[in-house]
Amino acid sequence: MDTVLLFILGVAVIVVGLAVSIGLHEIGHLLPAKLFGVKVTQYMIGFGPTLWSKRKGETEYGIKAIPLGGYISMIGMFPPNKNGGAARNATTGIFNTLIQEGEPKKNAIVTMVDDARQASADTIGEGEDHRAFYQLPVWKRIVIMFGGPFMNLVIAVVLFAVLLMGFGTAQASTTVGSVSACVLPATSTSQTCAADAEKAPGAAAGLKPGDTLISIDGTPITSWNQSTEIIRDSPGTPLAVVVERDGKQRTLTITPKLTERYTLDESGAAVVGADGKPVLTDVGFVGIGAASELVQQPASAVLPQVGSNIGAVVHMIANLPDRMVQVATAAFGPGERDPNGPISVVGVGRVAGEIASIDTIPVASKIASMLGLLASLNIALFVFNLIPLMPLDGGHIAGALWDGIRRTFAKLFGRAKPAPVDMAKLMPLTFAVVIVLGGMSLLLIYADIVKPINLFG
């Protein structure tokens, strides 16, 4: 019963954290919009039917039934069809661009553009034209639309700072975490020892998990890699290994066995030869593995970690079609999911629930893992929202930039100031993007239910 409750608690933490991230994302749009004088009629978390709302001044603040997004509604997001025409009220939300409460559904492509220009035209009251979004200078429009993703970036930086500087990252310690019972070839697929198998040198010498390495052959050990190098370079040579066990130091004599092991590069990955097979090297082998420990990192490690996560998300999005094919193949076939592949909010919640419910993980590590998940989610929101497609924030930013380019060229060549870019013409593409995103979301949710990624074996 406790495991179930912990699982639910883990899911709840992620749901609340995601809702807060979305709310702050929309505040990133709301604050500059109000600062620049744009009339904001709604600030909503979620979409669908309204569960609760309260009007303060000219803005209605509320929560909707489906907590998978959010939006602010600004007057005059799209310019009028012609001079003197009325502008359309629109929102920053992905799922609210096409479907507004009280609006009739439109199916024809032609009427999509028409509706985008004319529907809700009466939301701009008399004397409020100057408060329309499209009337703003280009840089102000960019600031408003970039404010949401930027807020997610700030959240991620703060969470990674707490994670790295407060909790630390898992690194190999100088404490023995595992001791192999026997010597198995590097190419062996078996993980069990036969009855007549030769004992591994570490086990034969009496090394035990929990022993802390103090020195090897008189050399003080300050890192696990240092001990590994000494062992690999000493096949057949008896080594005096001093360990600390139960507060007392003991000296053990261990003779590394000459054996073939995979050659590793600087990142720890196996080196592959010209024939496509891993390269083997004759080295000394003892048969021990390091226990990990959390090591606090300096402030200088935060931004590189954020940059690394951004790069990973960009790479995933760049390869998204192939990744989605892999997800579909695994979901509807016998294959397994790629643990590094895309997952839905359902999948993230499941991972959080598993982390919270595993008894062998210390509480500090559970909290650190939750922070890491939320930080990564905010990085994903930051990168994803900057994709230059409507209805994402990046689409509005691209439109504003194009507007600025046109105005700059008109000024350089002495031409009249051009009319604002008619983003309403992109509504058919916007509709297609929403359909594609919705389809991918449904596929990922289905895959996370029937073939979830198993990160914990």
Side-chain angles (χ1 to χ4, degrees):
M1 185 65 178
D2 289 342
T3 301
V4 175
L5 292 177
L6 287 172
F7 185 94
I8 294 173
L9 176 62
V11 174
V13 167
I14 290 299
V15 170
V16 172
L18 181 59
V20 170
S21 298
I22 292 171
L24 291 175
H25 173 102
E26 297 305 329
I27 286 178
H29 292 306
L30 178 72
L31 293 182
K34 285 185 171 290
L35 178 65
F36 296 147
V38 178
K39 183 177 180 180
V40 181
T41 58
Q42 284 187 316
Y43 168 93
M44 291 289 172
I45 304 301
F47 68 97
T50 300
L51 299 179
W52 170 88
S53 69
K54 182 178 181 180
R55 179 168 296 279
K56 186 176 181 181
E58 62 188 15
T59 306
E60 178 190 10
Y61 300 86
I63 299 174
K64 289 182 173 288
I66 306 175
L68 295 180
Y71 67 95
I72 68 168
S73 182
M74 298 179 286
I75 67 170
M77 182 74 82
F78 298 130
N81 186 24
K82 57 184 178 180
N83 291 336
R88 180 188 186 274
N89 183 54
T91 74
T92 61
I94 293 177
F95 295 101
N96 293 281
T97 299
L98 295 177
I99 303 175
Q100 298 289 329
E101 289 184 1
E103 291 184 8
K105 295 181 179 179
K106 306 290 182 179
N107 295 317
I109 291 179
V110 175
T111 56
M112 283 184 196
V113 177
D114 235 11
D115 289 343
R117 295 195 188 104
Q118 297 178 8
S120 302
D122 56 354
T123 57
I124 300 181
E126 185 176 352
E128 292 181 340
D129 295 88
H130 66 287
R131 302 188 63 189
F133 175 80
Y134 81 91
Q135 294 275 28
L136 291 176
V138 169
W139 72 271
K140 288 186 177 181
R141 280 183 272 162
I142 292 175
V143 169
I144 291 174
M145 299 315 301
F146 183 70
F150 179 73
M151 187 66 79
N152 292 123
L153 179 61
V154 171
I155 295 170
V157 170
V158 171
L159 291 177
F160 274 124
V162 173
L163 177 63
L164 297 178
M165 299 169 62
F167 290 89
T169 58
Q171 296 181 3
S173 66
T174 56
T175 299
V176 177
S178 62
V179 180
S180 300
C182 63
V183 179
L184 293 173
T187 55
S188 174
T189 57
S190 174
Q191 299 298 317
T192 58
C193 299
D196 58 347
E198 177 185 0
K199 265 193 172 184
L207 268 177
K208 295 182 179 180
D211 288 349
T212 299
L213 301 178
I214 303 300
S215 67
I216 298 179
D217 244 19
T219 301
I221 299 302
T222 58
S223 71
W224 188 261
N225 286 339
Q226 181 189 16
S227 66
T228 299
E229 290 177 4
I230 295 174
I231 291 170
R232 290 171 71 91
D233 293 339
S234 307
T237 302
L239 302 174
V241 180
V242 179
V243 301
E244 183 178 306
R245 182 187 302 168
D246 299 328
K248 298 180 180 179
Q249 291 191 0
R250 305 185 182 208
T251 300
L252 306 174
T253 300
I254 304 176
T255 303
K257 179 178 176 59
L258 180 64
T259 185
E260 287 186 329
R261 295 289 140 185
Y262 291 122
T263 303
L264 305 178
D265 59 20
E266 294 181 356
S267 65
V271 176
V272 178
D275 58 357
K277 297 180 180 179
V279 178
L280 297 172
T281 305
D282 291 333
V283 296
F285 171 78
V286 168
I288 56 176
S292 63
E293 61 180 353
L294 292 175
V295 179
Q296 291 182 336
Q297 303 297 307
S300 58
V302 176
L303 292 183
Q305 180 69 25
V306 172
S308 176
N309 271 258
I310 290 174
V313 175
V314 169
H315 181 267
M316 179 174 290
I317 291 176
N319 296 278
L320 197 55
D322 181 56
R323 294 295 186 96
M324 294 306 298
V325 170
Q326 294 175 6
V327 171
T329 302
F332 297 102
E336 294 296 323
R337 295 275 300 280
D338 178 2
N340 296 316
I343 61 176
S344 68
V345 176
V346 172
V348 173
R350 181 180 178 277
V351 170
E354 286 189 353
I355 292 172
S357 62
I358 295 177
D359 295 332
T360 55
I361 299 179
V363 174
S365 295
K366 291 181 180 181
I367 296 174
S369 297
M370 295 292 184
L371 290 176
L373 279 175
L374 286 174
S376 297
L377 273 174
N378 276 278
I379 290 293
L381 288 172
F382 167 71
V383 175
F384 185 75
N385 273 286
L386 289 181
I387 296 175
L389 290 173
M390 293 280 286
L392 302 173
D393 297 330
H396 292 286
I397 293 173
L401 288 172
W402 177 240
D403 204 359
I405 292 172
R406 292 169 66 246
R407 292 182 182 186
T408 300
F409 274 94
K411 188 175 181 180
L412 287 174
F413 292 101
R415 298 172 182 169
K417 181 180 177 181
V421 173
D422 189 3
M423 299 294 288
K425 291 181 179 179
L426 296 178
M427 290 307 290
L429 175 61
T430 302
F431 182 77
V433 171
V434 171
I435 294 296
V436 171
L437 292 178
M440 289 194 299
S441 298
L442 290 175
L443 173 59
L444 286 174
I445 291 173
Y446 175 78
D448 286 333
I449 294 174
V450 303
K451 189 71 69 69
I453 292 176
N454 192 346
L455 299 180
F456 305 98

